[in-house]
Amino acid sequence: MLDPLAVAPAKPAVFIHKLKGRKILGLQRRGKYLIFELDSGDFLVIHLRMTGRLTWLKHSPEGVDRKYLRLLFKFGNRANLAFNDSRRFGRAFILPADAAGAFWNRLGPEPLERSFTSARLGRLLEGSGRPIKSFLLDQSKLAGVGNIYADEALFSAGIHPLRPAGRLSPRETARLSRAIKATLRQAIALKGSSVGTYRDARGARGGFQDTFKVHRREGEPCPRCRTPVQKIRVGGRGTCFCPSCQK
DNA sequence: CGTTAGCCCTGCTGGC
DNA sequence: TGCCAGCAGGGCTAAC
């Protein structure tokens, strides 16, 4: 345990006790949470937030990046999993088996699941007066969409980020549901967005940042119509969009 | 209930 | 060059 904040609000001793000697039976993901299924029935859950980074060291902890190193998980076969996080926003915690159902139920549906259809999105949006951008970032409505992907999906769908969520037409809702799926699929295919320090578990950068159409491109010409990309704040989050293409 | 502002963190950027 | 205010962002809590 190198940084107790990485497991807060749990006590480091309790966290270690619940993990020590356990076997990992499987890996899963839900929303932005990484899930390690333990042989105790509990789950080790890790959220990287913005700057968190997991690195897999297959044979020994040798060569591990000590900078911003918060946690080092040591495996019986001498493999190690390092958790580095410059911003100290990321968290690891033990989710007890009996609390798991309630925990995951707080999250909305997975946009890439077959059951997530345009009609399903329409029902979720129904009656909501908040800006569509805020809605997309709300993990209890939709799981896994972050600021980058919300901006890019809204641009792709041609929808203004401030539009009231419940007032999208069926056609716009269909465009948005397709845009969310396509944006996430492309980002996954390119192994994520390395805006700052993001690296995957093998240390590789993502490639999606090179495809941004509007995100972090304030003042640059819209790739569709050349109108300068605008930046506003929506729900406290920086939001980039094309004022001409997104209505 | 649904929604929102403020807070947590620290590296980086931009203005002076 | 150096200083420092402000920004970035996901999710939680408190407040409306």
Side-chain angles (χ1 to χ4, degrees), chain A residues 105-168:
Chain A
N105 278 342
R106 303 170 312 128
L107 297 182
E110 294 286 331
L112 291 183
E113 277 191 3
R114 205 181 286 278
S115 60
F116 185 76
T117 60
S118 164
R120 178 100 188 264
L121 178 59
R123 284 195 295 279
L124 288 169
L125 296 173
E126 218 168 304
S128 171
R130 70 205 292 209
I132 183 65
K133 167 74 186 277
S134 301
F135 186 97
L136 295 181
L137 292 180
D138 186 339
Q139 303 296 299
S140 72
K141 308 292 186 198
L142 213 58
V145 178
N147 204 36
I148 291 170
Y149 306 111
D151 277 1
E152 293 298 308
L154 284 171
F155 172 78
S156 169
I159 295 169
H160 195 291
L162 289 176
R163 286 279 301 284
R167 301 218 189 99
L168 299 190

Side-chain angles (χ1 to χ4, degrees), chain A residues 133 137 146-148 150-151 161 214-216 230-241:
Chain A
K133 167 74 186 277
L137 292 180
N147 204 36
I148 291 170
D151 277 1
V214 288
H215 187 72
R216 295 172 86 100
Q230 257 184 38
K231 183 168 186 184
I232 57 176
R233 293 194 82 78
V234 181
R237 296 288 171 255
T239 299
C240 294
F241 70 103

Side-chain angles (χ1 to χ4, degrees), chain A residues 1 13 37 62 64 82 103 118 153 174 188 191 198 213 234-235:
Chain A
M1 177 76 49
E37 187 185 352
E62 224 167 297
V64 66
F103 187 85
S118 164
I188 290 166
K191 301 186 186 300
Y198 172 76
K213 307 282 197 301
V234 181

Side-chain angles (χ1 to χ4, degrees), chain A residues 33-168:
Chain A
Y33 295 90
L34 308 175
I35 308 166
F36 301 74
E37 187 185 352
L38 304 177
D39 62 354
S40 57
D42 296 342
F43 301 88
L44 165 66
V45 183
I46 299 179
H47 195 304
L48 299 173
R49 290 282 186 68
M50 285 83 62
T51 52
R53 184 167 151 191
L54 289 176
T55 307
W56 181 239
L57 302 140
K58 200 173 175 184
H59 302 296
S60 82
E62 224 167 297
V64 66
D65 183 3
R66 311 291 304 189
K67 202 176 182 188
Y68 312 125
L69 184 61
R70 308 296 175 197
L71 302 171
L72 190 61
F73 301 95
K74 297 171 176 293
F75 290 74
N77 62 0
R78 305 195 61 219
N80 288 257
L81 183 67
F83 175 59
N84 298 62
D85 186 14
S86 67
R87 216 86 147 255
R88 301 175 81 207
F89 259 24
R91 289 289 183 278
F93 58 94
I94 303 296
L95 179 64
D98 61 6
F103 187 85
W104 302 120
N105 278 342
R106 303 170 312 128
L107 297 182
E110 294 286 331
L112 291 183
E113 277 191 3
R114 205 181 286 278
S115 60
F116 185 76
T117 60
S118 164
R120 178 100 188 264
L121 178 59
R123 284 195 295 279
L124 288 169
L125 296 173
E126 218 168 304
S128 171
R130 70 205 292 209
I132 183 65
K133 167 74 186 277
S134 301
F135 186 97
L136 295 181
L137 292 180
D138 186 339
Q139 303 296 299
S140 72
K141 308 292 186 198
L142 213 58
V145 178
N147 204 36
I148 291 170
Y149 306 111
D151 277 1
E152 293 298 308
L154 284 171
F155 172 78
S156 169
I159 295 169
H160 195 291
L162 289 176
R163 286 279 301 284
R167 301 218 189 99
L168 299 190

